[in-house]
Amino acid sequence: MMNTLRRPVVAGNWKMNGNKALASEMSQAFDNQHFNNVEVIVCPPFPLLTQLSKESVKVGAQNISKFDSGAHTGEVSADILKDAGCEYVIVGHSERRVDNFESNGLVADKVDIALKNGLHPILCIGEPEDVRDAGDLFDFLSAQLNAVVSKVGIDAFAQLTIAYEPIWAIGTGKTASPEQAQEVHGFIRDFLATRNKEVAQKIRILYGGSVKADNATELFSQPDVDGGLIGGASLDPQSFISICRSAAEIA
């Protein structure tokens, strides 16, 4: 069962999808829902951040600039995100690491600036299939985590949420088995515990990778899985509500 000391999180990552109509539909769908024991977050594209009802869900961005302000065309700063009502920001998603060549160092810089500006980072880590097949999974994840620890310090992880997303399971229809997810989540918590046991116990670790209404309960039932970062299923309000309900029933 989920650890009752950690309030579960279900965060929807719309990626480059959605429109005003979907934002309105999502807000209306959640108006009559009361997930008091689950933190529900929706992360739409930048232009839609102000279109979601902040009374229905919490709002997060999908990216943040490492710069505070200035001549950085196409970038969006922490201040702009906060002005749009954001409380959370996804940092280091594998699609940005791959498509935009974001290094572990750059991801750490973005976590740092988010924290300094009062935003709650959802730090994404995860391995490609060839790394898992080669047996280098834990070294790969350790490098991703170490870059952030080195930049912000282990105590700052008390203000983070981690999302484990195996790259081979994102948008592919493949899903890590509950046992595979638990193995990695347990590793992440143990990794942090060697540096700060209290932080490790309290930090919420989400699973992401083809989470759907029909597999959410089994995944969320693992002791170190504290919710999910949901991709495609978060674009359907009823499916997303079903996933939130799964987390609420286990919490």
Side-chain angles (χ1 to χ4, degrees), residues 192-244:
L192 298 175
T194 62
R195 294 151 177 82
N196 187 314
K197 290 183 179 179
E198 183 177 358
V199 166
Q201 180 64 21
K202 291 182 178 180
I203 194 168
R204 296 177 296 184
I205 307 174
L206 315 182
Y207 173 76
S210 298
V211 178
K212 300 178 177 64
D214 61 1
N215 64 15
T217 297
E218 193 173 10
L219 286 163
F220 296 168
S221 295
Q222 302 305 306
D224 287 301
V225 178
D226 303 310
L229 181 58
I230 317 302
S234 70
L235 297 170
D236 179 335
Q238 295 309 313
S239 291
F240 192 49
I241 285 171
S242 293
I243 292 170
C244 294

Side-chain angles (χ1 to χ4, degrees), residues 97 104 123-127 131 135-150 157 162 164 184 187-192 194-195:
R97 291 180 189 260
N104 289 343
L123 170 64
C124 296
I125 64 172
E127 81 286 357
V131 167
D136 297 328
L137 165 62
F138 297 125
D139 287 342
F140 189 89
L141 298 179
S142 294
Q144 292 181 321
L145 290 168
N146 269 323
V148 181
V149 173
S150 296
F157 273 66
I162 294 176
Y164 167 60
V184 175
F187 164 78
I188 294 168
R189 206 173 299 284
D190 289 346
F191 174 94
L192 298 175
T194 62
R195 294 151 177 82

Side-chain angles (χ1 to χ4, degrees), residues 30 41 82 92 158 165 220:
F30 273 88
I41 307 163
K82 289 172 68 178
E165 293 201 307
F220 296 168

Side-chain angles (χ1 to χ4, degrees), residues 77-93:
S77 71
D79 276 348
I80 295 171
L81 295 181
K82 289 172 68 178
D83 193 49
C86 282
E87 296 182 49
Y88 286 81
V89 59
I90 297 171
V91 181
H93 192 282

